Amino acid sequence: MPGTNLTREEAQTRAALLDVQSYTVDLDLTTSETTFASTTTLRFTSREVGASTFADLVGADVHEITLNGRSIDPATAYADSRIQLDDLAAENELVVRADCTYSHSGEGLHRFVDPADDRVYLYSQFEVPDARRVYTTFEQPDLKSVFTFNVTAPEHWKVVSNAPTPTPTTLGGGKAVWNFPATKRMSTYITALVAGEYHEVQDVYEGKHGTIPLGHYCRQSLVDYLDRDELVKLTRAGFEFFEDAFDFPYPFEKYDQLYVPEYNMGAMENAGCVTLRDEYLPRSRQPRSFYEFRCSVILHEMAHMWFGDLVTMKWWDDLWLNESFAEWACYHAEVEATEFTDSWTGFANARKQTGYRQDQMPSTHPIAADNYDLQAVEVNFDMITYAKGASVLKQLVAWVGLDPFLAGLRQYFKDFAYGNSEFTDLLSALETASGRELEGWAKEWLQTAGVNTLAPQFELDADGNYTSFSVAQSAHPDWPTLRRHRIGIGLYDAQPTADGGTRLVRRESVEVDVDGASTEIPALVGKKQPDLLLLNDEDLTYAKIRLDERSLATLISGLSTLEDSLARALCWGAAWDMTRDAELAATDFVRLVLANIGSETDAWGVTRIPTYAAQAVSMMTAPEHRAALSAEWEQGLRTLLEAAAPGSDAQLTFARTYAGAARSKAAVRDLVALLDGELSFEGLSVDQDLRWTLIGGLARNGEADERIAAELAADNTISGQERAAAARAMQPDAEAKEAAWQAAFVDAGTPNETHRSIVLAFAPSGQDEILTPYVDRYLEAADTLWDHLGTHKASVALEFGFPRVLASDELLAKVDAWLESTPAPPAAKRYVLEGRADVARFLAAQRRDAQAG
Ligand SMILES: [Zn+2]
């Protein structure tokens, strides 16, 4: 019983048998509020007459199947999400008439009614295998085809797909039909349909290869927040950069970007029809890191138009390459073509950390995973795919050089345009362009899992000069690969400043290749030991770094005096790694953050590092230190908030973090006073988002009372509903907790984004007693949650609903017993295993912290 699974072998067999000529997809969106009519006409050839194969269609009510004019009984041919097709001719025409169901999980064709004005919005989301929830497909990336969509919808709607939008034909009765022209050749997973009462604006990009129409779309209730000028500016900058860097014209006819509600991910690279989560059109003040990230998302999807959409992986084995490349390309373009010129620092402070974390989980896997079926893709599609992959591509660029890298890419786009390829095709293009052998490199970096640690080893003479220097490389015993790294080594000294302080200035930096367990660095012998010696200066490689004793002392006293933002990011990262590895006490890390974060200037540094410290306070502090350190953290944030420059990102971040840290009566009073306008900080606007954050802080303390309902009455938007649901879930109240549990783990009908808000809010620290019964309930639910909630919502519930906050040896024992006997599928077990690994790490960190003074 394949269920909705599909194996690589089945896909290979089908691709060897078939070529797809065309799809014609007729959709009627006017039939009901729960279902829509879907008729697919699929023309394809078979290399073997008389052979059998199958088409894919999930969860449909199939009325009629016709193959080559022969009627097939759906009752026998449609089972288990597949339509059996026998006795194929050389040329075939398959017609399937069905009703399909709108989703509320963000998978397939999602339907949303805006509570602000009751308008209806639909959008599709198909990656990895969900086009088959909307029409009949051969659901695999290497059976590319052209697609003709004919869509019947209410006449006042906008209807957008991959091909340019036609003028609709009125059908009477308030309906119209949009007969789209055929698309370019593409894979099913990047086809798309967006329809509803969307607001539309049109601009153009005039480039060296011609004009590209640029559409932007959003809900009517968000029109005020569509910052069109900025979005168009970024989009134009992206096209100018990529058309030049890739030396290949944009491969589709137009470029629409549609900001859609209740979206699961950041965005999706549907060819010429990119969907993005509409939280990217914020109604309240956001820090610069938000805009830096939004810019990276816009450029990431644009890079996919070439890498992914024009040239597509044969099978999901190369999904990592698709994503890693788009990640690398978006940060590269951001630096080269936008105002966010230090976004590699932001990458180091935020995104890259998620890769390090994922790679130290028991569930880690090689970047190039063996995705033998769709279930394996579910297990292997994570931050290894994105963050580690992009970091390793950055290392590859350092290894071969940027120009040869780009030259190889250009050839690759020309050779495989509108077709499919495998990683080895890219590798040989890069080998030709760079003249470097890359097979060995690919083996050690892509086909093995785990992160290396680099540490300095040296001896000094009486004058404090190095008499020997080497870089030691190590690896976790479970993932023992040592790799070749190209790294910088920076020597930083404290220098006096005009105002009587000091600053850390780079004296010099050397670039070297590290190989094996120990690499001698003769270039440093005879040099005076610096105040701070920084391995992986410039962040070229992907590795954890360690600091020698003197450097660590320098960092603790003067991290914020480091001038270079990327060097600071590496120091923050090293300190956080050491805390997570129980080598630095959580108390010391929290004090490091309190002492230095007020001067941090990197956009991501300012907003992300306080979240690491908050985690250290609540999860990694020894129980006997926790109350005192929580109070120190709360008070420290209050002081930072007071001292922050009016209107700065730091001020906004400290206000948000303070709301999350508030425990004492005084702090709770502050939150109330901020909400009621009795306390204010110059330049800090208590806007709608911040109001909800403050209410969340009150709710967590059981002090929100009637405020949640009152705020929702004043803000009856989907964001308001989601924030209210989160605030209710946070309350230390048995009834509220039970209601949140039902919505998150039991009721499969909770809309996806509301569901996510509740799960994230469910288990704050400091509510141990009320949360304890939910350990058993979580594990029991985890047995069957995957099927009950579906892939996306189940993964959210299992990952973020794991009771990490109750870290204890008893919890570990319960989880171990569950792992022994559960019938849960590997994709579900993986999240429980990861939660367990976090808890084990927290307990080790707590023991380390217990030794701190
Ligand atoms: Zn992507």
Side-chain angles (χ1 to χ4, degrees):
M1 292 285 281
T4 52
N5 200 9
L6 174 73
T7 68
R8 180 173 54 206
E9 209 179 321
E10 288 173 321
Q12 283 167 348
T13 303
R14 194 159 62 174
L17 184 66
L18 307 181
D19 270 319
V20 186
Q21 261 63 55
S22 69
Y23 283 79
T24 303
V25 180
D26 292 281
L27 299 175
D28 187 345
L29 309 177
T30 65
T31 56
S32 122
E33 292 184 359
T34 52
T35 62
F36 55 96
S38 166
T39 300
T40 310
T41 304
L42 239 169
R43 293 190 182 82
F44 60 97
T45 58
S46 169
R47 289 189 181 83
E48 192 190 322
V49 172
S52 297
T53 189
F54 59 93
D56 304 292
L57 183 63
V58 172
D61 184 6
V62 178
H63 306 303
E64 208 177 298
I65 305 171
T66 311
L67 177 64
N68 301 330
R70 190 171 82 236
S71 177
I72 299 176
D73 184 4
T76 52
Y78 179 51
D80 221 14
S81 305
R82 294 179 175 191
I83 298 170
Q84 179 64 28
L85 304 172
D86 294 322
D87 198 17
L88 297 180
E91 310 244 336
N92 300 275
E93 183 184 84
L94 170 69
V95 182
V96 179
R97 199 167 64 77
D99 282 317
C100 297
T101 308
Y102 291 117
S103 93
H104 296 285
S105 67
E107 298 153 307
L109 189 58
H110 186 91
R111 187 175 190 277
F112 173 80
V113 181
D114 193 337
D117 54 17
D118 293 328
R119 293 178 196 263
V120 175
Y121 299 95
L122 314 179
Y123 65 84
S124 65
Q125 170 56 40
F126 292 161
E127 193 181 23
V128 174
D130 287 332
R132 57 189 176 157
R133 293 178 189 275
V134 176
Y135 59 94
T136 303
T137 67
F138 295 121
E139 192 72 81
Q140 58 188 79
D142 58 345
L143 283 174
K144 283 193 173 184
S145 179
V146 296
F147 295 81
T148 302
F149 284 96
N150 299 302
V151 182
T152 300
E155 134 179 272
H156 64 289
W157 281 18
K158 303 284 182 195
V159 179
V160 181
S161 180
N162 308 94
T165 307
T167 307
T169 308
T170 305
L171 298 175
K175 300 181 193 179
V177 62
W178 280 256
N179 299 116
F180 286 88
T183 64
K184 303 262 187 179
R185 258 171 69 81
M186 61 180 67
S187 306
T188 52
Y189 82 95
I190 51 168
T191 62
L193 172 68
V194 183
E197 299 180 64
Y198 287 94
H199 169 73
E200 171 191 1
V201 290
Q202 287 290 339
D203 295 273
V204 293
Y205 165 70
E206 310 269 6
K208 66 175 179 183
H209 299 291
T211 301
I212 306 169
L214 305 178
H216 282 93
Y217 294 76
C218 69
R219 281 185 281 142
Q220 298 295 338
S221 60
L222 296 182
V223 170
D224 289 349
Y225 314 119
L226 180 75
D227 48 343
R228 173 183 181 177
D229 292 350
E230 176 65 17
L231 295 171
V232 171
K233 187 179 89 181
L234 287 175
T235 303
R236 285 180 180 146
F239 274 121
E240 192 177 348
F241 182 78
F242 286 134
E243 284 201 328
D244 185 54
F246 298 161
D247 191 30
F248 198 104
Y250 171 63
F252 304 100
E253 296 98 331
K254 52 91 183 177
Y255 197 67
D256 289 319
Q257 293 173 90
L258 304 108
Y259 290 84
V260 300
E262 295 187 323
Y263 201 63
N264 287 336
M265 304 172 303
M268 175 66 204
E269 69 267 23
N270 310 305
C273 185
V274 170
T275 42
L276 304 100
R277 60 164 41 227
D278 66 16
E279 285 81 356
Y280 291 150
L281 306 179
R283 55 189 185 154
S284 295
R285 163 94 199 282
Q286 298 295 332
R288 182 179 167 88
S289 57
F290 174 96
Y291 292 99
E292 186 173 314
F293 187 70
R294 183 178 74 168
C295 176
S296 74
V297 172
I298 288 170
L299 295 172
H300 173 117
E301 305 312 327
M302 194 183 288
H304 272 313
M305 295 300 124
W306 286 265
F307 207 104
D309 292 6
L310 172 67
V311 182
T312 312
M313 65 207 138
K314 276 203 177 112
W315 177 249
W316 303 105
D317 289 324
D318 285 327
L319 180 57
W320 73 270
L321 180 61
N322 199 31
E323 293 309 342
S324 304
F325 179 82
E327 282 284 279
W328 174 82
C330 80
Y331 286 98
H332 178 60
E334 213 171 356
V335 168
E336 298 292 327
T338 78
E339 68 180 274
F340 300 106
T341 52
D342 53 359
S343 59
W344 282 121
T345 299
F347 180 80
N349 270 323
R351 196 77 160 165
K352 196 170 185 177
Q353 295 299 326
T354 65
Y356 288 137
R357 175 180 174 273
Q358 192 90 53
D359 206 8
Q360 295 176 78
M361 289 286 181
S363 56
T364 191
H365 53 84
I367 294 176
D370 179 20
N371 285 328
Y372 48 85
D373 65 9
L374 290 178
Q375 287 176 357
V377 180
E378 284 170 357
V379 176
N380 291 324
F381 195 14
D382 54 22
M383 290 322 285
I384 301 280
T385 316
Y386 287 85
K388 180 179 179 185
S391 308
V392 168
L393 282 188
K394 193 181 181 208
Q395 167 68 188
L396 176 60
V397 173
W399 194 251
V400 299
L402 179 62
D403 289 339
F405 183 79
L406 288 175
L409 264 181
R410 289 172 184 149
Q411 193 55 46
Y412 172 79
F413 289 135
K414 289 186 181 76
D415 290 349
F416 294 96
Y418 301 104
N420 294 85
S421 69
E422 293 174 302
F423 175 57
T424 46
D425 299 318
L426 176 65
L427 208 61
S428 53
L430 295 179
E431 282 186 333
T432 306
S434 70
R436 284 196 93 150
E437 179 277 322
L438 294 175
E439 217 184 294
W441 182 92
K443 230 185 181 72
E444 66 197 50
W445 278 103
L446 304 173
Q447 292 168 14
T448 63
V451 57
N452 299 123
T453 301
L454 303 179
Q457 280 187 336
F458 53 83
E459 283 164 15
L460 297 168
D461 64 19
D463 300 327
N465 299 318
Y466 290 123
T467 54
S468 68
F469 193 100
S470 60
V471 176
Q473 179 177 193
S474 58
H476 190 281
D478 291 349
W479 313 104
T481 308
L482 299 182
R483 302 180 177 87
R484 288 170 287 169
H485 302 259
R486 180 135 196 98
I487 63 165
I489 304 178
L491 281 63
Y492 293 81
D493 293 321
Q495 289 186 354
T497 55
D499 61 3
T502 58
R503 55 180 188 158
L504 281 165
V505 179
R506 186 192 278 126
R507 186 205 314 161
E508 70 169 295
S509 182
V510 295
E511 204 171 298
V512 295
D513 287 340
V514 165
D515 188 0
S518 178
T519 307
E520 298 287 334
I521 311 293
L524 294 185
V525 174
K527 298 264 158 83
K528 185 171 167 29
Q529 183 188 26
D531 292 316
L532 171 68
L533 181 111
L534 189 59
L535 296 181
N536 199 25
D537 203 18
E538 297 295 330
D539 200 26
L540 299 180
T541 198
Y542 169 87
K544 298 201 291 183
I545 53 167
R546 288 296 185 254
L547 298 159
D548 60 70
E549 214 172 301
R550 175 168 176 174
S551 298
L552 185 61
T554 301
L555 184 147
I556 284 170
S557 63
L559 191 159
S560 61
T561 70
L562 252 175
E563 286 194 321
D564 181 81
S565 69
L566 187 52
R568 282 200 309 277
L570 287 160
C571 289
W572 283 121
W576 180 226
D577 269 338
M578 290 173 71
T579 310
R580 285 172 34 81
D581 289 346
E583 292 178 25
L584 181 69
T587 298
D588 292 334
F589 179 75
V590 172
R591 287 179 182 155
L592 177 75
V593 173
L594 283 172
N596 291 280
I597 195 66
S599 329
E600 180 55 58
T601 55
D602 176 64
W604 268 114
V606 173
T607 50
R608 183 54 70 89
I609 289 156
T611 67
Y612 303 150
Q615 192 183 85
V617 171
S618 55
M619 310 283 202
M620 299 164 133
T621 325
E624 63 270 28
H625 295 166
R626 199 165 302 155
L629 192 69
S630 293
E632 188 177 332
W633 173 236
E634 180 195 282
Q635 187 51 49
L637 286 165
R638 181 69 164 78
T639 307
L640 283 165
L641 172 58
E642 198 113 28
S648 63
D649 283 359
Q651 185 188 49
L652 177 60
T653 299
F654 298 147
R656 288 175 175 178
T657 315
Y658 183 56
R663 296 276 183 288
S664 69
K665 282 203 168 59
V668 168
R669 267 201 308 277
D670 277 349
L671 304 191
V672 170
L674 273 165
L675 274 167
D676 294 345
E678 283 152 19
L679 171 68
S680 62
F681 295 91
E682 192 195 337
L684 182 70
S685 155
V686 184
D687 56 23
Q688 190 60 66
D689 270 15
L690 187 54
R691 288 188 66 81
W692 278 117
T693 302
L694 296 167
I695 288 169
L698 292 178
R700 190 173 36 75
N701 284 288
E703 301 278 351
D705 301 324
E706 303 303 312
R707 282 181 186 270
I708 300 173
E711 198 68 23
L712 182 56
D715 176 28
N716 192 23
T717 61
I718 186 64
S719 318
Q721 289 187 2
E722 288 158 3
R723 300 296 298 261
R728 290 198 191 100
M730 266 184 243
Q731 295 173 104
D733 168 279
E735 221 172 291
K737 235 22 131 189
E738 182 61 34
W741 176 264
Q742 292 291 329
F745 284 83
V746 180
D747 177 6
T750 307
N752 52 333
E753 190 65 19
T754 306
H755 175 260
R756 197 175 86 100
S757 304
I758 294 170
V759 171
L760 290 173
F762 184 76
S765 62
Q767 298 184 357
D768 291 11
E769 200 174 321
I770 208 158
L771 289 171
T772 297
Y774 289 96
V775 171
D776 290 336
R777 294 179 69 179
Y778 169 90
L779 291 173
E780 196 189 319
D783 281 338
T784 54
L785 208 63
W786 204 259
D787 287 336
H788 180 55
L789 293 186
T791 304
H792 175 75
K793 278 163 58 179
S795 62
V796 168
L798 291 170
E799 180 172 7
F800 301 108
F802 188 95
R804 288 175 180 75
V805 72
L806 300 173
S808 69
D809 291 322
E810 298 75 63
L811 175 58
L812 292 183
K814 276 192 173 172
V815 171
D816 289 343
W818 180 87
L819 286 166
E820 288 286 306
S821 62
T822 183
K829 265 172 115 160
R830 169 246 175 97
Y831 289 111
V832 180
L833 260 177
E834 291 182 355
R836 188 200 185 283
D838 274 338
V839 166
R841 199 174 266 282
F842 295 156
L843 292 173
Q846 289 175 18
R847 287 191 288 274
R848 173 67 185 85
D849 191 63
Q851 301 158 18

